[in-house]
């Protein structure tokens, strides 16, 4: 820990810099950087994140030197501003804000107008010449401070404000006079001391230290904890505290405040995009209470209020120039906050702007073309998990739709679900497996768990930068915001659309976050395409990665989708679904229930041509790319009828008695089928099943090679191997069948025979197993199940508890447990290579499409990952990130 805790910025000089985010938080680092590059930033100072760490480690106390450092820096601010903190004639007012290393919008506390009391308010009246403004600022401060620092129930003061309006016979806050606000301040303070048994602090220094403590304290509030958990932000990072001189956007009509993005955060288009409000304070824009005005005429739509470009052209020109400076400097799209006080522009914040997946791609590709960044940076700018948004279906443009309302297209994608009105309800219903649309008048940080649980979010109020819009974009959720066409009635649990139609809780609606449309019922969707900027970026991605990406696909259709998404082969073709087909199941059952080999062979002979057809279809789609086919894996009993009526009808068709069949079914019943008679154990006890499958694979390959000139090297994969002796036997069987088919066709076809590593014993003896395997594919679904001793089918009931309570960092079936299961994978790779140097290594468990797991796979030196077709682009991008980081 350093001995310096406070960093000054102001008047073109700063002790901090953008590179010091860990110490100063994102906001503090960027305030320092903006100051250094000559932008107009109100002076202030940042108390470092180290103080936050100290605060929690030392029972809410501060390092000894902090008081004097703060006092010294406050004096510097006073000097620059030519105002004095607490001075009755010329007082300095400050804001106190949080700012962590990663942006956590709205999760922690902020206090504005700090330094006001009954005497300094007179000074503000003298400075501003506006008594009403001064008392309005004062009452806002008392409300905010008592809520955030003192723990006063804010509704009590809000109620008092409503009563005051009623008493004065007015409806709007703006109709209250200076005298009314003055009375309210006194009434608020009285009420605070009655409720809390303590006086509102008059001493500005006491106020300042109260606010600093509250901001550090807010790092551990429930909202912040939830947000960190959802965004994987470590608790030990801590927050910084920024103390900055106040500038006012609400001192009259030559004042304003706004937020802007240097490019459109929704589409990525290269134009200045933002919202502002005349005569308002910063929170008014993001709180969604007043509908903001557009920044410029480019974004102005019919019916919008006048733009800043028209109303405050000089300030707009200055801001537009700052936009260019910021993009050049940061080489990324920025999200900025500004205030105009009496015609003078001030920058309050800049940070890398959150953006949707389409915007992330467009901005990255455009910036490369503009020469701002190189291809490597462009690839690293798009998070693999973000692509998920693009790889999911959007509304079918041809589908009929009944549009009942239109709002702002705040976060793209399409979602259908049942309407709920509270975040708690959304969370509860999602646990029951329902798809939901959370409908709110506006959202606040308290709603974040409900937004997470819902498929889409609809709000009646708020702009493109409202809480709902920003958070939804960050989560990659579809959101329609500021939908003035709907009237929400929480009490009646319903909303009314423009045409008077009433939508009740439980009704289904569809949102299109790309157009802002709200539709009744469920509207069908279509699959995405990998063209345009997406295609360009993926081209760069492929030039950087080493790891190959294959897909798990079992049908010709899935194989085609996989190839369209860039799969370089099939890493897992599960053959069992081919056995469940209505036509085939009868033959499969006949095979299982046959008493002798001959009966089984007769039944399998019926399946053989169908299996061969499946493989021909897949090989054709994959056009010579590698295809790994896994031989039958699931427990036998899964194929058998369980219901009495099905047993009866099967007995009839097999010409056996129901009694006999029931006995056979009971005999095959297993208590723990996932650890039972499945995988290679089937292949050993019923060798004719695997022989038939190998025959079908090789005949398909030989036919295509012979008749259609394909080059195919089938990869035959044997599941659930625990010992080398199992593999030795099955490999010998497979080779016998392959050679027999090759000889029969008279063509040369190479083939590989390998195994899945999905049991700990296989991983531990991988050196022995490699003597019989041309390749390993890590079946990390089963390997996770067997390493943890956790049933993959039942763990969903209690694993969320483990994750929520920090017993596990993540669900190990979603993201590979690198310390445990990963250790087995690493060990098996090393052991496998020790006996067979060039052994091909891949993974085909679900983890093959999880970005963190893909990076792990790159690092342990696998040759490829294999995942579901829709996740192939995610895996490609993650593989490029792995190679570039
Ligand atoms: C695995 O176990 O990881 C695997 C890919 O096989 P399955 O999911 O079919 O058991
Ligand atoms: Mg498995």
């Amino acid at each position: 820990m350093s001995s310096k805790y406070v960093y000054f910025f102001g008047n073109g000089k700063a002790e901090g810099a953008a590179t010091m985010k860990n110490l100063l938080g994102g906001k503090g680092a960027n305030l320092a950087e903006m100051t250094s590059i000559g932008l107009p930033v109100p002076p202030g100072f940042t108390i470092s994140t180290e103080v936050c760490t100290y605060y929690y480690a030392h029972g809410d106390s501060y390092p000894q030197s902090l008081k004097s450092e703060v006092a010294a820096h406050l004096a510097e601010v006073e000097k620059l501003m030519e105002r004095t903190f607490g001075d009755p004639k010329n007082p300095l007012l400050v804001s106190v804000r949080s700012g962590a290393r990663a942006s956590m919008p709205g999760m922690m506390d902020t206090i504005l107008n700090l330094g006001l009391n009954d005497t300094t308010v007179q000074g503000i009246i003298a400075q501003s010449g506006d008594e009403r403004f001064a008392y309005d600022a004062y009452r806002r401060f008392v409300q905010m401070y008592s809520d955030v620092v003192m723990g006063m129930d804010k509704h009590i003061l809000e109620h008092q404000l409503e009563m005051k309006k009623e008493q004065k016979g007015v409806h709007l806050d703006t109709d209250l006079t200076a005298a009314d606000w003055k009375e309210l301040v006194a009434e608020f303070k009285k009420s605070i001391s009655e409720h809390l048994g303590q006086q509102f602090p008059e001493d500005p220094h006491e106020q300042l230290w109260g606010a600093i403590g509250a901001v550090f304290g807010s790092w551990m509030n429930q909202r912040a904890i939830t947000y960190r958990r959802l965004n994987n932000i470590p608790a030990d990072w801590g927050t910084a505290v920024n103390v900055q001189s106040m500038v006012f956007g609400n001192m009259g009509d030559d004042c304003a405040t706004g937020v802007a993005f240097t490019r459109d955060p929704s589409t990525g288009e290269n134009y200045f995009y933002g919202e502002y409000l005349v005569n308002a304070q910063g929170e008014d824009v993001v709180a969604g209470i007043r509908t903001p005005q557009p920044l410029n005429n480019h974004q102005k739509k019919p019916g919008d209020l006048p733009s800043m470009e028209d109303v405050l052209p000089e300030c707009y020109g200055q801001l537009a120039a700052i936009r260019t400076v910021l993009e050049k400097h940061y080489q990324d799209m920025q999200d900025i906050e500004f205030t105009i006080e009496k015609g003078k522009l001030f920058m309050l914040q800049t940070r890398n702007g959150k953006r949707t997946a389409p915007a992330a791609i467009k901005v990255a590709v455009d910036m490369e073309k503009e020469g701002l960044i190189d291809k490597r940076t462009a690839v690293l700018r798009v998070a693999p998990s973000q692509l998920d948004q693009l790889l999911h279906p959007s509304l079918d443009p041809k589908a009929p739709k009944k549009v009942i309302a239109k709002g702002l297209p705040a976060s793209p994608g399409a979602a259908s679900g049942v309407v709920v009105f509270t975040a708690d309800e959304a969370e509860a219903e999602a646990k029951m497996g329902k798809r939901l649309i959370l409908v709110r008048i506006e959202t606040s940080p308290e709603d974040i768990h409900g937004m997470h649980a819902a498929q889409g979010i609809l709000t009646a109020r708020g702009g493109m930068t409202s809480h709902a819009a920003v958070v939804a974009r960050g989560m990659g959720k579809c959101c329609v915001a500021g939908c003035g066409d709907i009237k929400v009635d929480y009490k009646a649990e319903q909303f009314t659309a423009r045409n008077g139609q009433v939508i009740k809780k439980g009704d289904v609606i569809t949102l299109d976050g790309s157009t802002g449309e709200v539709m009744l019922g469920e509207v069908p969707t279509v699959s995405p395409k990998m063209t345009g900027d997406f295609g360009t970026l993926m081209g760069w991605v492929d030039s950087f990665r080493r790891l190959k990406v294959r897909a798990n696909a079992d049908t010709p259709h899935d194989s085609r989708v996989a190839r369209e998404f860039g799969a370089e082969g099939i890493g897992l073709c599960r053959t069992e679904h081919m056995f469940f087909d209505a036509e085939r199941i009868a033959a499969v059952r006949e095979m299982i229930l046959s008493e002798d080999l001959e009966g089984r062979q007769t039944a399998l002979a019926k399946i053989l041509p169908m299996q061969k057809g499946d493989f021909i279809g897949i090989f054709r789609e994959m056009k010579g790319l590698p295809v790994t086919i896994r031989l039958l894996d699931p427990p036998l009993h899964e194929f058998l009828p369980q219901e009495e009526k099905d047993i009866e009808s099967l007995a009839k068709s097999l010409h056996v008695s129901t009694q006999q069949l029931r006995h056979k079914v009971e005999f095959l019943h297993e208590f723990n089928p996932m650890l039972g008679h499945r995988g290679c154990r089937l292949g050993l006890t019923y060798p004719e099943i695997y022989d038939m499958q190998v025959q079908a694979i090789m005949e398909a390959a030989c036919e295509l090679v012979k008749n259609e000139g394909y080059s195919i090297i089938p990869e035959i994969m044997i599941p659930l191997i625990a010992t080398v002796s199992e593999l030795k036997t099955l490999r010998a069987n497979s080779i016998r069948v392959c050679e027999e088919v090759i000889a029969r066709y008279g063509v040369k076809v190479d083939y590989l025979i390998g195994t899945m590593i999905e049991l700990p014993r296989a991983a531990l003896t991988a050196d022995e197993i490699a003597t019989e395997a041309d390749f390993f594919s890590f079946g990390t679904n089963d390997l996770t199940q067997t390493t943890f001793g956790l049933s993959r089918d039942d763990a969903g009931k209690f694993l969320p508890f483990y994750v929520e309570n920090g017993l596990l960092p993540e669900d190990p079936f979603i993201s590979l447990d690198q310390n445990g299961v990963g250790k087995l994978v690493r060990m098996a790779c090393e052991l496998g290579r020790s006996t067979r140097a060039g052994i091909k290594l891949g993974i085909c468990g679900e983890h093959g499409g999880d970005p963190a797991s893909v990076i792990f796979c790159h690092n342990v030196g696998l040759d490829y990952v294999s995942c579901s077709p829709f996740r192939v682009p995610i895996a490609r991008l993650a593989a490029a990130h792995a190679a570039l980081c």
Side-chain angles (χ1 to χ4, degrees):
M1 193 179 265
S2 60
S3 55
K4 180 173 172 62
Y5 298 112
V6 186
Y7 294 76
F8 180 77
F9 55 85
N11 198 27
K13 292 199 188 71
E15 294 177 318
T19 48
M20 293 163 70
K21 278 206 173 78
N22 296 1
L23 192 65
L24 302 182
K27 186 190 275 281
N30 283 327
L31 283 171
E33 188 81 6
M34 281 201 294
T35 304
S36 307
I37 60 172
L39 301 187
V41 176
F45 54 85
T46 304
I47 305 174
S48 77
T49 54
E50 285 184 350
V51 178
C52 188
T53 315
Y54 185 101
Y55 180 80
Y56 283 106
H58 296 80
D60 301 359
S61 66
Y62 300 115
Q64 226 180 1
S65 60
L66 188 69
K67 282 240 144 95
S68 59
E69 271 195 71
V70 166
H73 287 94
L74 189 61
E76 278 186 78
V77 177
E78 288 174 328
K79 211 158 96 199
L80 277 182
M81 294 298 288
E82 296 175 344
R83 289 174 185 170
T84 307
F85 199 50
D87 188 308
K89 291 211 174 63
N90 188 22
L92 172 73
L93 300 188
V94 295
S95 64
V96 181
R97 297 174 204 256
S98 59
R101 199 189 295 190
S103 140
M104 295 171 56
M107 297 301 138
M108 288 178 287
D109 291 332
T110 286
I111 292 136
L112 304 176
N113 307 343
L114 190 138
L116 275 167
N117 58 27
D118 289 342
T119 44
T120 56
V121 72
Q122 298 306 327
I124 298 296
I125 295 170
Q127 273 172 16
S128 65
D130 185 342
E131 191 180 2
R132 189 187 178 284
F133 157 77
Y135 276 106
D136 182 18
Y138 193 8
R139 69 88 194 176
R140 284 181 193 244
F141 169 57
V142 174
Q143 278 183 286
M144 213 177 223
Y145 192 93
S146 63
D147 166 28
V148 170
V149 183
M150 303 176 78
M152 177 79 180
D153 178 353
K154 63 181 177 193
H155 299 106
I156 298 173
L157 303 191
E158 276 165 13
H159 180 70
Q160 270 179 283
L161 171 54
E162 289 308 310
M163 299 299 289
K164 177 65 72 186
K165 284 195 275 189
E166 214 173 288
Q167 182 197 339
K168 300 284 169 180
V170 298
H171 291 296
L172 300 174
D173 287 7
T174 43
D175 293 332
L176 290 175
T177 64
D180 297 334
W181 288 130
K182 187 174 176 183
E183 278 169 30
L184 260 176
V185 168
E187 287 161 21
F188 280 172
K189 287 187 177 173
K190 188 157 170 275
S191 168
I192 290 164
S193 72
E194 276 168 15
H195 279 90
L196 302 179
Q198 68 182 108
Q199 298 294 324
F200 189 86
E202 290 288 310
D203 174 6
H205 291 278
E206 188 186 337
Q207 292 173 0
L208 178 62
W209 284 99
I212 292 171
V215 172
F216 280 134
S218 69
W219 178 251
M220 280 298 173
N221 73 30
Q222 203 47 50
R223 296 198 302 259
I225 292 172
T226 306
Y227 188 90
R228 283 200 293 272
R229 182 165 52 74
L230 294 176
N231 292 280
N232 294 325
I233 298 173
D236 61 6
W237 281 4
T239 181
V241 174
N242 297 290
V243 178
Q244 192 176 19
S245 45
M246 282 295 300
V247 283
F248 292 96
N250 57 342
M251 265 197 209
D253 287 344
D254 54 354
C255 300
T257 187
V259 292
F261 290 88
T262 54
R263 300 185 188 215
D264 185 329
S266 205
T267 64
E269 262 179 275
N270 186 4
Y271 72 85
F272 202 16
Y273 182 92
E275 288 159 345
Y276 85 111
L277 280 172
V278 174
N279 200 6
Q281 273 206 341
E283 333 67 271
D284 299 344
V285 184
V286 276
I289 293 161
R290 276 169 65 186
T291 297
Q293 298 171 228
L295 200 64
N296 53 37
N297 295 335
H298 180 96
Q299 65 178 103
K300 201 170 147 187
K301 288 185 297 309
D304 274 352
L305 293 165
S307 71
M308 179 170 155
E309 189 176 7
D310 284 342
V311 177
L312 297 158
E314 267 180 39
C315 287
Y316 178 76
Q318 200 187 344
L319 192 65
I322 288 176
R323 169 199 180 214
T324 314
V325 171
L326 284 174
E327 278 214 343
K328 271 226 172 84
H329 187 76
Y330 285 97
Q331 300 178 335
D332 199 358
M333 188 256 266
Q334 297 294 294
D335 165 358
I336 60 181
E337 287 177 20
F338 62 91
T339 284
I340 296 165
E341 182 182 296
K342 296 209 171 291
K344 193 165 178 319
L345 174 71
F346 291 95
M347 299 301 295
L348 298 186
Q349 165 143 312
T350 189
R351 57 185 169 194
N352 292 340
K354 285 199 191 300
R355 60 206 81 176
T356 62
I361 290 172
K362 181 154 179 56
V363 169
V365 172
D366 282 356
M367 285 194 163
E368 194 274 343
K369 288 186 185 145
E370 291 159 25
L372 276 176
I373 56 175
D374 58 14
K375 292 190 173 65
R376 178 183 183 279
T377 311
V379 165
L380 288 171
R381 281 282 163 81
V382 183
S385 55
Q386 255 191 322
L387 292 188
D388 199 36
Q389 262 184 69
L390 291 179
L391 300 171
H392 285 291
S394 54
L395 288 187
D396 180 352
K398 288 194 225 88
K401 52 186 187 183
K402 185 160 182 250
V403 178
I404 51 168
K406 195 158 186 230
L408 298 171
S411 182
S416 299
V418 294
V419 168
V420 288
F421 290 97
T422 69
D424 288 344
E425 242 169 0
E427 193 176 56
E429 298 275 311
K431 283 199 177 129
M432 315 287 289
K434 283 205 189 147
R435 298 177 61 79
L436 310 155
I437 304 293
L438 177 62
V439 181
R440 302 284 300 160
I441 295 174
E442 66 211 17
T443 63
S444 75
E446 276 96 17
D447 293 323
I448 165 156
H449 59 295
M451 297 174 75
H452 187 70
Q455 269 62 46
I457 298 124
L458 169 63
T459 65
R461 287 205 210 130
M464 291 292 278
T465 47
S466 64
H467 177 267
V470 171
V471 174
R473 277 201 291 274
M475 287 181 177
K477 295 240 150 132
C478 149
C479 174
V480 174
C483 185
D485 285 353
I486 64 165
K487 239 180 118 219
V488 179
D489 183 341
Y490 287 142
K491 228 179 176 170
E493 298 189 312
Q494 64 183 42
F495 73 83
T496 312
R498 192 178 27 186
N499 60 2
Q501 183 148 17
V502 175
I503 313 294
K504 292 197 174 308
K505 176 172 135 183
D507 289 348
V508 174
I509 60 169
T510 298
L511 303 182
D512 186 341
S514 311
T515 61
E517 285 175 333
V518 182
M519 288 141 283
L520 197 63
E522 189 172 339
V523 180
T525 52
V526 289
S527 301
K529 290 263 173 296
M530 300 237 332
T531 49
D533 290 331
F534 193 7
T536 307
L537 185 88
M538 292 311 288
W540 300 343
V541 161
D542 291 343
S543 72
F544 290 120
R545 69 188 162 90
R546 174 194 64 76
L547 202 58
K548 295 250 182 234
V549 178
R550 299 194 190 182
N552 294 354
D554 313 337
T555 63
H557 172 264
D558 287 355
S559 308
R560 183 167 343 121
V561 174
R563 227 171 15 82
E564 282 164 6
F565 280 126
E568 296 160 301
I570 290 179
L572 174 64
C573 171
R574 293 179 167 103
T575 51
E576 43 269 17
H577 95 270
M578 301 169 176
F579 283 63
F580 281 109
D581 203 285
E583 265 183 84
R584 306 178 192 188
I585 189 82
V588 176
R589 286 172 173 166
E590 187 185 324
M591 184 269 301
I592 297 169
L593 297 164
S594 298
E595 293 299 337
D596 52 20
L597 175 65
E598 206 187 331
R600 287 200 290 273
Q601 280 171 334
T602 313
L604 285 168
K606 295 182 195 164
I607 304 173
L608 176 79
M610 301 187 233
Q611 276 263 275
K612 189 166 134 186
D614 298 327
F615 298 136
I616 287 180
I618 291 172
F619 286 144
R620 271 211 189 102
E621 285 297 346
M622 294 313 289
K623 300 190 189 315
L625 293 172
V627 176
T628 307
I629 296 166
R630 179 180 72 188
L631 304 183
L632 195 66
D633 181 43
L636 274 193
H637 90 134
E638 282 191 14
F639 295 102
L640 291 175
Q642 304 297 332
E643 304 270 324
E644 198 53 33
K645 66 175 188 336
D646 295 333
I647 295 181
E648 274 168 28
S649 82
L650 180 64
K652 225 179 250 161
S653 71
L654 292 178
H655 309 293
V656 295
S657 73
T658 316
Q659 180 84 345
Q660 246 178 318
L661 184 59
R662 201 177 300 119
H663 276 151
K664 185 86 187 182
V665 171
E666 277 165 15
F667 174 76
L668 288 170
H669 172 80
E670 290 179 315
F671 285 104
N672 204 341
M674 285 308 264
L675 297 178
H677 197 181
R678 60 172 283 217
C680 65
R681 301 158 196 172
L682 280 181
L684 286 161
T685 48
Y686 296 89
E688 53 285 356
I689 303 179
Y690 279 11
D691 286 355
M692 180 278 288
Q693 290 196 290
V694 174
Q695 187 182 338
I697 295 167
M698 284 314 285
E699 286 188 5
C702 287
E703 256 170 49
L704 287 179
V705 169
K706 190 168 181 170
N707 304 335
E708 300 180 28
Y710 274 90
S711 79
I712 301 171
I713 306 178
E715 299 177 358
I716 296 165
M717 182 154 78
I718 296 165
L720 221 71
I721 288 290
T723 69
V724 68
S725 55
E726 291 170 324
L727 187 59
K728 193 170 180 191
T729 307
L730 291 170
R731 181 182 174 89
N733 286 354
S734 299
I735 291 176
R736 177 181 39 77
V737 176
C738 287
E739 294 302 325
E740 183 274 314
V741 174
I742 289 168
R744 184 150 43 84
Y745 278 82
V747 288
K748 187 173 158 26
V749 176
D750 286 333
Y751 56 90
L752 302 178
I753 297 172
T755 182
M756 296 185 72
I757 302 289
E758 48 188 347
L759 293 177
R761 195 184 188 285
L764 294 166
T765 58
D767 48 347
E768 293 171 21
I769 290 177
T771 59
E772 297 291 332
D774 299 321
F775 62 87
F776 286 166
S777 178
F778 290 94
T780 44
N781 302 334
D782 274 313
L783 193 57
T784 300
Q785 165 167 268
T786 49
T787 302
F788 273 90
L790 261 180
S791 159
R792 58 196 264 198
D793 301 310
D794 301 317
K797 296 200 183 101
F798 55 88
L799 264 188
F801 173 88
Y802 268 62
V803 177
E804 270 158 32
N805 291 282
L807 295 164
L808 280 174
E810 268 168 297
D811 180 335
F813 289 106
I814 294 173
S815 197
L816 191 77
D817 158 46
Q818 298 185 13
N819 293 345
V821 179
K823 200 182 263 179
L824 284 174
V825 172
R826 194 184 288 274
M827 182 193 292
C829 290
E830 284 163 12
L831 288 175
R833 287 200 180 107
S834 72
T835 40
R836 192 183 283 255
I839 190 166
K840 208 178 202 182
L841 300 171
I843 180 175
C844 63
E846 278 307 297
H847 306 93
D850 166 66
S853 313
V854 173
I855 291 172
F856 171 83
C857 292
H858 170 94
N859 291 335
V860 295
L862 295 195
D863 296 302
Y864 69 86
V865 295
S866 188
C867 56
S868 80
F870 280 98
R871 293 169 91 192
V872 165
I874 297 175
R876 285 162 67 196
L877 181 53
H881 279 210
L884 290 173
C885 288

